[in-house]
Amino acid sequence: MDTATTGAYDGVRTAPRALATEAVHAGRDDLARQGLHAPPIDLSTTYPSYDSRAEAARIDAFATDGADPDGPPVYGRLGNPTVARFETALARLEGTESAVAFASGMAALSAVLLALPHSRPRTSGGTSMAAGLRHVVAVRPLYGCSDHLLTAGLLGTEVTWTDPAGITDALRPDTGLVMVESPANPTLAELDLRAVAHACGPVPLLADNTFATPVLQRPAAHGARFVLHSATKYLGGHGDVLAGVVACDEEFAGRLRQIRFATGGVLHPLAGYLLLRGLSTLPVRVRAASANAAELARRLAADPRVARVHYPRIGGAMIAFEVYGDPHEVVSRVRLVTPAVSLGSVDTLIQHPASISHRIVDADDRRGAGVSDRLLRLSVGLEDVDDLWADLDQALCAAPERPVAGSAARDTAGTGTA
């Protein structure tokens, strides 16, 4: 059984606890001594203080290193007690010192890029020139909006796209980050995170762990300095909260808090409460949905109307599959499964990445990363697996079967790594 990081209770170090135990108790260790059972929701945007000198000192300290201000809260943009509980719990599950939550996964990624140091300003003839672009090395596929954020240079980044074997050669003196996603969105391609971290050398590695969650893997244990989540997905788990979070060391967490304070990408306390509640059932939900997904992947791989199935070796609740016929027809025919973007909810969702989640990526880049026009992405939920299969089976009636003998052979990659 997985064990989570060593926690603390009343300042006393405790023995490592299993992930399922941490999911239920992390972020709640102080409740009993307050006479509480359920975590409270603090909706205040501001807090009274009659000692303005002490308040000024706390603000100065935050400006210096971004550490959580000691004492009572100050203002909602600096931090919130409910959100802090979620951050503490997620850090414990990922095995990092800290975590910093944001209003969305893209806000979290943007904060990482803004928090990384710029290259030093250049001078010419005694005149200071603007700092050069921060250079990022990245491996496709990534979530479509992450790809777009890097490619478009919206935050002053320059990106070099490479395959895992080319990471070391792609590094430059001004490289500030290597970014990967494993299993990847939407192809579910997997990377050896330990090998990737080794290839990065001193350059920090950011691993998007949205699909796997800490239930299936903990990138920090394999050398990633930053672990990114679209918390909208499995961490919330019910399709009713929008959020992002970065698990990392405390030094970088301080910078992220400063970016969050300056840019305003704060997480609402109610979202923080829902996320903390979602974490308590995360291991149960992920394992149950993964069992459904593994069975559906097996059935899809044996279906003559399906050309290829992508299902990761580490498991999980995501499936990608390619059909011989028109994928849009399949999407239009589902009735129990919901045709919708996003993933990680208790109900099953299906979408066509080339039309939605990865539409913003250049078509040639998209196809080069394995996102074919016939690829469908299935986020498997907690329904009865036979009911799910019955719906997929009738929806696939719109797809023709494999080509007859003598024509192009069916891709037999099956359920291995894509």
Side-chain angles (χ1 to χ4, degrees), residues 317-403:
M318 299 299 300
I319 304 172
F321 63 99
E322 300 170 42
V323 295
Y324 284 114
D326 185 347
H328 301 285
E329 288 297 318
V330 177
V331 170
S332 71
R333 289 176 61 91
V334 294
R335 294 296 178 265
L336 177 63
V337 175
T338 301
V341 74
S342 199
L343 57 107
S345 184
V346 291
D347 59 320
T348 300
L349 309 177
I350 192 170
Q351 66 111 341
H352 182 242
S355 296
I356 306 179
S357 63
H358 288 71
R359 188 68 179 179
I360 201 168
V361 179
D362 176 81
D364 289 338
D365 291 337
R366 189 171 66 230
R367 295 182 187 115
V371 186
S372 79
D373 292 341
R374 294 188 184 275
L375 185 75
L376 292 168
R377 192 189 73 187
L378 189 71
S379 171
V380 181
L382 303 180
E383 301 95 337
D384 182 89
V385 70
D386 289 328
D387 289 336
L388 290 173
W389 176 248
D391 192 37
L392 290 174
D393 183 41
Q394 63 83 24
L396 285 167
C397 288
E401 295 189 0
R402 74 183 76 173

Coordinates of all heavy atoms in Angstrom, one line a residue, residues 317-403:
A317 N -8.3 6.2 -14.9 CA -9.7 6.2 -15.4 C -9.9 6.8 -16.8 O -11.0 7.0 -17.2 CB -10.6 6.9 -14.4
M318 N -8.8 7.0 -17.5 CA -8.9 7.6 -18.8 C -8.6 6.6 -19.9 O -7.7 5.8 -19.7 CB -7.9 8.8 -18.9 CG -8.1 9.9 -18.0 SD -9.7 10.8 -18.1 CE -9.6 11.3 -19.8
I319 N -9.3 6.7 -20.9 CA -9.1 5.8 -22.1 C -9.1 6.7 -23.3 O -9.9 7.7 -23.4 CB -10.2 4.8 -22.3 CG1 -10.4 3.9 -21.1 CG2 -9.9 3.9 -23.5 CD1 -11.6 3.0 -21.1
A320 N -8.2 6.5 -24.3 CA -8.3 7.1 -25.6 C -8.4 6.0 -26.6 O -7.8 4.9 -26.5 CB -7.1 7.9 -25.9
F321 N -9.3 6.2 -27.6 CA -9.5 5.1 -28.6 C -9.8 5.8 -30.0 O -10.4 6.8 -30.0 CB -10.5 4.1 -28.2 CG -11.9 4.6 -28.1 CD1 -12.9 4.4 -29.1 CD2 -12.3 5.2 -26.9 CE1 -14.2 4.9 -28.9 CE2 -13.6 5.7 -26.7 CZ -14.6 5.5 -27.8
E322 N -9.4 5.1 -31.0 CA -9.6 5.5 -32.4 C -10.6 4.6 -33.0 O -10.4 3.4 -32.9 CB -8.3 5.6 -33.1 CG -7.3 6.6 -32.5 CD -5.9 6.4 -33.1 OE1 -5.8 6.3 -34.3 OE2 -4.9 6.4 -32.3
V323 N -11.5 5.1 -33.8 CA -12.5 4.3 -34.4 C -12.2 4.3 -35.9 O -11.6 5.2 -36.5 CB -13.9 4.9 -34.2 CG1 -14.3 4.7 -32.7 CG2 -14.1 6.3 -34.6
Y324 N -12.8 3.3 -36.6 CA -12.6 3.3 -38.1 C -13.5 4.3 -38.8 O -13.2 4.8 -39.8 CB -12.9 1.8 -38.6 CG -11.8 0.9 -38.3 CD1 -12.0 -0.2 -37.4 CD2 -10.6 1.0 -38.9 CE1 -10.9 -1.1 -37.2 CE2 -9.5 0.1 -38.7 CZ -9.7 -0.9 -37.8 OH -8.7 -1.8 -37.6
G325 N -14.7 4.5 -38.1 CA -15.6 5.4 -38.8 C -15.5 6.9 -38.3 O -14.4 7.3 -37.9
D326 N -16.6 7.6 -38.4 CA -16.6 9.0 -38.0 C -16.7 9.2 -36.5 O -17.8 8.8 -35.9 CB -17.8 9.7 -38.7 CG -17.8 11.2 -38.5 OD1 -17.1 11.7 -37.6 OD2 -18.6 11.8 -39.2
P327 N -15.7 9.7 -35.8 CA -15.8 9.8 -34.4 C -17.0 10.8 -33.9 O -17.5 10.6 -32.8 CB -14.5 10.4 -34.0 CG -14.0 11.1 -35.2 CD -14.5 10.3 -36.3
H328 N -17.3 11.7 -34.8 CA -18.4 12.7 -34.4 C -19.7 11.9 -34.3 O -20.6 12.3 -33.5 CB -18.5 13.8 -35.4 CG -17.2 14.6 -35.6 ND1 -16.8 15.5 -34.7 CD2 -16.2 14.6 -36.5 CE1 -15.6 16.1 -35.0 NE2 -15.3 15.5 -36.2
E329 N -19.9 10.9 -35.1 CA -21.1 10.2 -35.0 C -21.2 9.4 -33.7 O -22.3 9.3 -33.1 CB -21.2 9.2 -36.2 CG -21.5 9.9 -37.6 CD -22.9 10.6 -37.6 OE1 -23.8 10.0 -37.1 OE2 -22.9 11.7 -38.1
V330 N -20.1 8.9 -33.3 CA -20.1 8.2 -32.0 C -20.4 9.1 -30.9 O -21.3 8.8 -30.0 CB -18.7 7.5 -31.7 CG1 -18.6 6.9 -30.4 CG2 -18.3 6.5 -32.8
V331 N -19.8 10.3 -30.9 CA -20.2 11.3 -29.8 C -21.6 11.6 -29.8 O -22.3 11.8 -28.8 CB -19.3 12.5 -30.0 CG1 -19.7 13.7 -29.1 CG2 -17.8 12.2 -29.7
S332 N -22.2 11.8 -31.0 CA -23.6 12.2 -31.1 C -24.6 11.1 -30.7 O -25.7 11.5 -30.4 CB -23.9 12.6 -32.6 OG -24.0 11.4 -33.4
R333 N -24.1 9.9 -30.6 CA -25.1 8.8 -30.3 C -25.1 8.4 -28.8 O -25.9 7.6 -28.4 CB -24.7 7.6 -31.1 CG -25.0 7.8 -32.6 CD -24.6 6.5 -33.4 NE -25.2 5.3 -33.0 CZ -26.4 4.9 -33.5 NH1 -27.0 5.5 -34.5 NH2 -26.9 3.7 -33.0
V334 N -24.1 8.8 -28.0 CA -24.1 8.4 -26.6 C -25.3 8.9 -25.9 O -25.8 10.0 -26.2 CB -22.8 8.8 -25.9 CG1 -21.6 8.0 -26.4 CG2 -22.6 10.3 -25.9
R335 N -25.8 8.2 -24.9 CA -27.0 8.6 -24.1 C -26.7 8.6 -22.6 O -27.1 9.5 -21.9 CB -28.2 7.7 -24.4 CG -28.7 7.8 -25.9 CD -29.2 9.2 -26.2 NE -29.6 9.4 -27.6 CZ -28.8 9.9 -28.5 NH1 -27.6 10.3 -28.2 NH2 -29.3 10.0 -29.7
L336 N -26.1 7.6 -22.1 CA -25.7 7.5 -20.7 C -24.4 8.3 -20.5 O -24.3 9.2 -19.5 CB -25.5 6.1 -20.2 CG -25.0 5.9 -18.8 CD1 -26.0 6.5 -17.8 CD2 -24.7 4.5 -18.5
V337 N -23.4 8.1 -21.3 CA -22.2 8.9 -21.3 C -22.5 10.3 -21.7 O -23.3 10.5 -22.6 CB -21.1 8.2 -22.2 CG1 -19.9 9.1 -22.3 CG2 -20.8 6.8 -21.8
T338 N -21.9 11.3 -21.1 CA -22.1 12.7 -21.4 C -21.1 13.2 -22.4 O -19.9 13.1 -22.1 CB -22.1 13.6 -20.2 OG1 -23.1 13.1 -19.2 CG2 -22.3 15.0 -20.5
P339 N -21.5 13.7 -23.6 CA -20.5 14.3 -24.5 C -20.1 15.7 -24.0 O -20.9 16.7 -24.1 CB -21.3 14.4 -25.8 CG -22.7 14.4 -25.4 CD -22.8 13.7 -24.1
A340 N -19.0 15.8 -23.3 CA -18.6 17.1 -22.7 C -17.1 17.1 -22.6 O -16.4 16.1 -22.4 CB -19.3 17.3 -21.4
V341 N -16.5 18.3 -22.6 CA -15.1 18.5 -22.3 C -14.9 18.3 -20.8 O -15.9 18.2 -20.0 CB -14.7 20.0 -22.7 CG1 -15.2 21.0 -21.8 CG2 -13.2 20.1 -22.8
S342 N -13.7 18.3 -20.3 CA -13.2 18.0 -19.0 C -13.2 16.5 -18.7 O -13.5 15.7 -19.6 CB -14.1 18.8 -17.9 OG -13.4 18.9 -16.7
L343 N -12.9 16.2 -17.4 CA -12.7 14.8 -17.1 C -12.6 14.7 -15.5 O -12.6 15.7 -14.8 CB -11.4 14.3 -17.7 CG -10.1 15.1 -17.3 CD1 -9.2 14.3 -16.3 CD2 -9.3 15.4 -18.6
G344 N -12.5 13.5 -15.1 CA -12.3 13.2 -13.6 C -13.5 13.3 -12.8 O -13.4 13.3 -11.5
S345 N -14.7 13.4 -13.3 CA -15.9 13.5 -12.5 C -16.4 12.0 -12.2 O -15.9 11.1 -12.7 CB -17.0 14.2 -13.2 OG -18.2 14.4 -12.4
V346 N -17.4 12.0 -11.3 CA -18.0 10.7 -11.0 C -18.8 10.1 -12.1 O -19.1 8.9 -12.1 CB -18.9 10.8 -9.7 CG1 -18.0 11.1 -8.5 CG2 -20.0 11.8 -9.9
D347 N -19.2 10.9 -13.1 CA -19.9 10.4 -14.3 C -18.9 10.3 -15.5 O -17.9 11.0 -15.5 CB -21.1 11.2 -14.6 CG -20.8 12.7 -14.8 OD1 -19.9 13.2 -14.1 OD2 -21.4 13.3 -15.7
T348 N -19.3 9.5 -16.5 CA -18.4 9.3 -17.6 C -18.7 10.3 -18.7 O -19.8 10.7 -19.0 CB -18.7 7.9 -18.2 OG1 -18.4 6.9 -17.1 CG2 -17.8 7.6 -19.4
L349 N -17.5 10.9 -19.2 CA -17.6 11.9 -20.2 C -16.8 11.5 -21.5 O -15.8 10.7 -21.3 CB -16.9 13.2 -19.7 CG -17.4 13.8 -18.4 CD1 -16.6 15.0 -18.0 CD2 -18.9 14.1 -18.4
I350 N -17.2 11.9 -22.6 CA -16.5 11.6 -23.9 C -16.4 12.9 -24.7 O -17.3 13.7 -24.7 CB -17.2 10.5 -24.7 CG1 -16.3 10.0 -25.8 CG2 -18.6 11.0 -25.2 CD1 -16.9 8.7 -26.5
Q351 N -15.2 13.0 -25.3 CA -15.1 14.2 -26.2 C -14.1 13.9 -27.3 O -13.3 12.9 -27.3 CB -14.6 15.4 -25.4 CG -13.2 15.3 -24.8 CD -12.2 16.2 -25.4 OE1 -12.3 16.7 -26.5 NE2 -11.1 16.4 -24.7
H352 N -14.1 14.7 -28.3 CA -13.2 14.6 -29.5 C -12.1 15.6 -29.4 O -12.3 16.8 -29.7 CB -14.1 14.8 -30.8 CG -13.3 14.6 -32.1 ND1 -13.1 15.6 -33.0 CD2 -12.6 13.5 -32.6 CE1 -12.4 15.2 -34.0 NE2 -12.1 13.9 -33.8
P353 N -10.9 15.2 -29.0 CA -9.8 16.2 -28.7 C -9.5 17.1 -29.9 O -9.3 18.3 -29.7 CB -8.6 15.3 -28.3 CG -9.3 14.1 -27.8 CD -10.5 13.9 -28.6
A354 N -9.5 16.6 -31.1 CA -9.1 17.4 -32.2 C -10.1 18.6 -32.5 O -9.8 19.6 -33.1 CB -9.0 16.6 -33.5
S355 N -11.3 18.4 -31.9 CA -12.4 19.4 -32.1 C -12.5 20.4 -30.9 O -13.0 21.5 -31.0 CB -13.7 18.8 -32.3 OG -13.8 18.1 -33.5
I356 N -12.0 19.9 -29.7 CA -12.3 20.7 -28.5 C -11.0 20.9 -27.7 O -10.4 22.0 -27.8 CB -13.4 20.0 -27.6 CG1 -14.6 19.7 -28.4 CG2 -13.7 20.9 -26.4 CD1 -15.7 19.0 -27.7
S357 N -10.6 20.0 -26.9 CA -9.5 20.2 -25.9 C -8.2 20.6 -26.6 O -7.4 21.3 -26.0 CB -9.3 19.0 -25.0 OG -8.9 17.9 -25.7
H358 N -7.9 20.1 -27.8 CA -6.7 20.3 -28.5 C -6.9 21.1 -29.8 O -6.0 21.1 -30.7 CB -5.9 19.0 -28.7 CG -5.4 18.5 -27.4 ND1 -6.2 17.9 -26.4 CD2 -4.1 18.4 -27.0 CE1 -5.4 17.6 -25.4 NE2 -4.2 17.8 -25.7
R359 N -8.0 21.7 -30.0 CA -8.3 22.4 -31.2 C -7.4 23.6 -31.4 O -7.0 24.0 -32.5 CB -9.8 22.9 -31.2 CG -10.2 23.5 -32.5 CD -10.3 22.5 -33.6 NE -10.8 23.0 -34.9 CZ -10.9 22.2 -36.0 NH1 -10.6 20.9 -35.9 NH2 -11.3 22.8 -37.1
I360 N -7.0 24.2 -30.3 CA -6.1 25.4 -30.3 C -4.7 25.1 -30.7 O -3.9 26.0 -31.1 CB -6.2 26.1 -28.9 CG1 -5.8 27.5 -29.1 CG2 -5.3 25.3 -27.9 CD1 -6.1 28.3 -27.8
V361 N -4.3 23.8 -30.7 CA -3.0 23.4 -31.1 C -2.9 23.3 -32.6 O -3.9 22.8 -33.3 CB -2.6 22.0 -30.5 CG1 -1.2 21.6 -30.9 CG2 -2.7 22.1 -29.0
D362 N -1.9 23.7 -33.3 CA -1.7 23.6 -34.7 C -2.0 22.2 -35.2 O -1.5 21.2 -34.5 CB -0.3 24.0 -35.1 CG 0.0 23.9 -36.6 OD1 -0.4 24.7 -37.4 OD2 0.6 22.8 -36.9
A363 N -2.7 22.0 -36.3 CA -3.1 20.7 -36.7 C -2.0 19.8 -36.9 O -2.0 18.6 -36.6 CB -4.0 20.8 -37.9
D364 N -0.9 20.2 -37.6 CA 0.3 19.4 -37.8 C 0.9 19.0 -36.5 O 1.4 17.8 -36.3 CB 1.3 20.1 -38.7 CG 0.7 20.2 -40.2 OD1 -0.1 19.4 -40.5 OD2 1.2 21.1 -40.9
D365 N 1.1 19.9 -35.6 CA 1.7 19.6 -34.3 C 0.8 18.6 -33.5 O 1.3 17.7 -32.8 CB 1.8 20.9 -33.4 CG 2.9 21.8 -34.0 OD1 3.8 21.4 -34.7 OD2 2.8 23.0 -33.7
R366 N -0.5 18.8 -33.6 CA -1.5 17.9 -33.0 C -1.3 16.5 -33.5 O -1.2 15.6 -32.7 CB -2.9 18.5 -33.2 CG -4.0 17.8 -32.4 CD -5.3 18.5 -32.6 NE -5.8 18.5 -33.9 CZ -6.2 19.6 -34.6 NH1 -6.1 20.8 -34.0 NH2 -6.7 19.5 -35.8
R367 N -1.3 16.4 -34.8 CA -1.2 15.0 -35.3 C 0.2 14.4 -35.1 O 0.3 13.2 -34.9 CB -1.5 15.1 -36.8 CG -3.0 15.5 -37.1 CD -3.3 15.5 -38.6 NE -4.6 16.0 -38.9 CZ -4.8 17.2 -39.5 NH1 -3.8 17.9 -40.0 NH2 -6.0 17.6 -39.7
G368 N 1.2 15.3 -35.1 CA 2.5 14.8 -34.9 C 2.7 14.3 -33.4 O 3.6 13.4 -33.2
A369 N 1.9 14.7 -32.5 CA 1.9 14.3 -31.1 C 1.0 13.1 -30.9 O 0.9 12.6 -29.8 CB 1.5 15.4 -30.2
G370 N 0.4 12.6 -32.0 CA -0.4 11.4 -31.8 C -1.9 11.6 -31.6 O -2.7 10.7 -31.4
V371 N -2.3 12.9 -31.7 CA -3.7 13.2 -31.6 C -4.4 13.2 -32.9 O -4.5 14.2 -33.6 CB -3.9 14.6 -30.9 CG1 -5.4 14.9 -30.6 CG2 -3.1 14.7 -29.6
S372 N -4.8 12.0 -33.3 CA -5.4 11.8 -34.7 C -6.8 12.4 -34.7 O -7.4 12.6 -33.7 CB -5.4 10.4 -35.1 OG -6.5 9.7 -34.4
D373 N -7.3 12.6 -35.9 CA -8.6 13.1 -36.1 C -9.7 12.1 -35.7 O -10.9 12.4 -35.6 CB -8.8 13.6 -37.5 CG -8.0 14.8 -37.9 OD1 -7.6 15.5 -36.9 OD2 -7.8 15.1 -39.1
R374 N -9.3 10.8 -35.6 CA -10.3 9.8 -35.2 C -10.2 9.4 -33.7 O -10.9 8.5 -33.3 CB -10.1 8.5 -36.1 CG -10.4 8.8 -37.5 CD -10.3 7.5 -38.3 NE -10.5 7.7 -39.8 CZ -11.7 7.8 -40.4 NH1 -12.8 7.7 -39.6 NH2 -11.8 8.1 -41.7
L375 N -9.4 10.2 -33.0 CA -9.2 9.8 -31.6 C -10.4 10.4 -30.7 O -10.8 11.5 -30.8 CB -7.9 10.4 -31.1 CG -7.5 10.1 -29.6 CD1 -7.0 8.7 -29.6 CD2 -6.4 11.1 -29.1
L376 N -10.9 9.5 -29.8 CA -11.9 9.9 -28.8 C -11.3 9.7 -27.4 O -10.5 8.8 -27.2 CB -13.1 9.1 -29.0 CG -14.0 9.3 -30.2 CD1 -15.0 8.3 -30.4 CD2 -14.6 10.7 -30.2
R377 N -11.6 10.7 -26.5 CA -11.1 10.6 -25.1 C -12.3 10.3 -24.2 O -13.3 11.0 -24.2 CB -10.4 11.9 -24.7 CG -9.6 11.8 -23.4 CD -9.1 13.1 -23.0 NE -10.2 13.9 -22.4 CZ -10.1 15.2 -22.1 NH1 -9.0 15.8 -22.2 NH2 -11.2 15.9 -21.6
L378 N -12.1 9.2 -23.4 CA -13.2 8.8 -22.5 C -12.7 8.9 -21.1 O -11.7 8.3 -20.7 CB -13.6 7.4 -22.8 CG -14.8 6.8 -22.1 CD1 -16.1 7.4 -22.7 CD2 -14.9 5.3 -22.3
S379 N -13.4 9.7 -20.3 CA -13.1 9.8 -18.8 C -14.2 9.0 -18.2 O -15.4 9.3 -18.1 CB -13.3 11.3 -18.4 OG -13.2 11.4 -17.0
V380 N -13.7 7.8 -17.6 CA -14.6 6.8 -17.1 C -15.0 7.2 -15.6 O -14.1 7.5 -14.8 CB -14.0 5.4 -17.2 CG1 -15.0 4.4 -16.6 CG2 -13.6 5.1 -18.6
G381 N -16.3 7.1 -15.3 CA -16.8 7.4 -14.0 C -17.1 6.1 -13.2 O -16.5 5.1 -13.4
L382 N -18.1 6.3 -12.3 CA -18.4 5.3 -11.3 C -19.7 4.5 -11.6 O -20.2 3.7 -10.8 CB -18.5 5.9 -10.0 CG -17.3 6.7 -9.5 CD1 -17.5 7.3 -8.1 CD2 -16.0 5.8 -9.5
E383 N -20.2 4.7 -12.8 CA -21.4 3.9 -13.2 C -21.1 2.4 -13.3 O -20.0 2.0 -13.3 CB -22.0 4.4 -14.5 CG -22.3 5.9 -14.6 CD -21.2 6.7 -15.2 OE1 -20.0 6.3 -15.1 OE2 -21.5 7.8 -15.6
D384 N -22.2 1.6 -13.4 CA -22.0 0.2 -13.6 C -21.3 0.0 -15.0 O -21.7 0.6 -16.0 CB -23.3 -0.5 -13.6 CG -23.2 -2.0 -13.8 OD1 -23.0 -2.7 -12.7 OD2 -23.2 -2.5 -14.9
V385 N -20.3 -0.8 -15.0 CA -19.5 -1.0 -16.2 C -20.3 -1.6 -17.4 O -20.1 -1.2 -18.5 CB -18.2 -1.8 -16.0 CG1 -18.6 -3.3 -15.7 CG2 -17.2 -1.7 -17.1
D386 N -21.3 -2.5 -17.1 CA -22.1 -3.0 -18.1 C -23.0 -2.0 -18.7 O -23.3 -2.0 -19.9 CB -22.9 -4.2 -17.6 CG -22.0 -5.4 -17.3 OD1 -21.0 -5.6 -18.0 OD2 -22.3 -6.2 -16.3
D387 N -23.5 -1.1 -17.9 CA -24.3 0.0 -18.4 C -23.5 0.9 -19.3 O -24.0 1.4 -20.4 CB -25.0 0.8 -17.3 CG -26.0 0.1 -16.6 OD1 -26.7 -0.9 -17.1 OD2 -26.3 0.4 -15.4
L388 N -22.3 1.2 -18.9 CA -21.4 2.0 -19.8 C -21.1 1.3 -21.1 O -21.2 1.9 -22.2 CB -20.1 2.3 -19.0 CG -20.2 3.3 -17.8 CD1 -18.9 3.3 -17.1 CD2 -20.7 4.7 -18.3
W389 N -20.8 0.0 -21.0 CA -20.5 -0.7 -22.3 C -21.7 -0.7 -23.2 O -21.6 -0.6 -24.4 CB -20.0 -2.1 -22.0 CG -19.8 -2.8 -23.2 CD1 -20.5 -3.9 -23.7 CD2 -18.8 -2.5 -24.2 NE1 -20.0 -4.3 -24.9 CE2 -19.0 -3.5 -25.3 CE3 -17.8 -1.5 -24.3 CZ2 -18.2 -3.4 -26.4 CZ3 -17.0 -1.5 -25.5 CH2 -17.2 -2.5 -26.5
A390 N -22.9 -0.9 -22.6 CA -24.1 -1.0 -23.5 C -24.3 0.4 -24.2 O -24.6 0.4 -25.4 CB -25.3 -1.2 -22.6
D391 N -24.0 1.5 -23.6 CA -24.1 2.8 -24.2 C -23.0 2.9 -25.3 O -23.3 3.4 -26.4 CB -24.0 3.9 -23.2 CG -24.4 5.2 -23.8 OD1 -25.4 5.3 -24.6 OD2 -23.8 6.2 -23.4
L392 N -21.8 2.6 -25.0 CA -20.7 2.7 -26.0 C -21.0 1.7 -27.2 O -20.8 2.1 -28.3 CB -19.4 2.3 -25.4 CG -18.8 3.4 -24.4 CD1 -17.6 2.8 -23.7 CD2 -18.5 4.7 -25.1
D393 N -21.5 0.6 -26.9 CA -21.8 -0.4 -27.9 C -22.8 0.1 -28.9 O -22.6 0.0 -30.2 CB -22.2 -1.7 -27.3 CG -22.5 -2.8 -28.3 OD1 -21.7 -3.0 -29.2 OD2 -23.5 -3.5 -28.2
Q394 N -23.8 0.7 -28.4 CA -24.8 1.2 -29.4 C -24.3 2.5 -30.1 O -24.7 2.7 -31.2 CB -26.2 1.5 -28.6 CG -26.2 2.5 -27.6 CD -26.3 4.0 -28.1 OE1 -26.8 4.2 -29.2 NE2 -25.8 4.9 -27.3
A395 N -23.5 3.3 -29.4 CA -22.9 4.4 -30.1 C -22.0 4.1 -31.2 O -21.9 4.7 -32.2 CB -22.2 5.3 -29.0
L396 N -21.2 3.0 -31.0 CA -20.3 2.5 -32.0 C -20.9 1.9 -33.2 O -20.2 1.6 -34.2 CB -19.3 1.5 -31.3 CG -18.2 2.1 -30.4 CD1 -17.6 1.0 -29.6 CD2 -17.2 2.8 -31.2
C397 N -22.2 1.7 -33.1 CA -22.9 1.2 -34.3 C -22.8 2.1 -35.5 O -22.9 1.7 -36.7 CB -24.4 1.0 -34.0 SG -24.7 -0.4 -32.9
A398 N -22.4 3.4 -35.2 CA -22.2 4.3 -36.3 C -20.8 4.1 -37.0 O -20.6 4.7 -38.1 CB -22.3 5.8 -35.8
A399 N -20.0 3.3 -36.4 CA -18.6 3.1 -36.9 C -18.5 1.8 -37.6 O -19.0 0.8 -37.2 CB -17.6 3.1 -35.7
P400 N -17.9 1.8 -38.8 CA -17.7 0.5 -39.5 C -16.7 -0.4 -38.8 O -16.0 0.1 -38.0 CB -17.2 1.0 -40.9 CG -16.5 2.2 -40.6 CD -17.3 2.9 -39.5
E401 N -16.8 -1.7 -39.2 CA -15.8 -2.6 -38.6 C -14.5 -2.5 -39.3 O -14.3 -1.8 -40.3 CB -16.4 -4.0 -38.7 CG -17.6 -4.2 -37.8 CD -18.0 -5.7 -37.7 OE1 -17.3 -6.5 -38.3 OE2 -19.0 -5.9 -37.0
R402 N -13.5 -3.2 -38.7 CA -12.1 -3.2 -39.3 C -12.2 -3.6 -40.8 O -13.1 -4.3 -41.2 CB -11.2 -4.2 -38.5 CG -11.5 -5.7 -38.8 CD -10.7 -6.6 -38.0 NE -11.2 -6.7 -36.6 CZ -10.7 -7.5 -35.7 NH1 -9.7 -8.3 -36.0 NH2 -11.3 -7.5 -34.5
P403 N -11.2 -3.1 -41.5 CA -11.1 -3.5 -42.9 C -11.0 -5.0 -43.1 O -10.5 -5.7 -42.3 CB -9.8 -2.8 -43.4 CG -9.6 -1.7 -42.5 CD -10.1 -2.2 -41.1

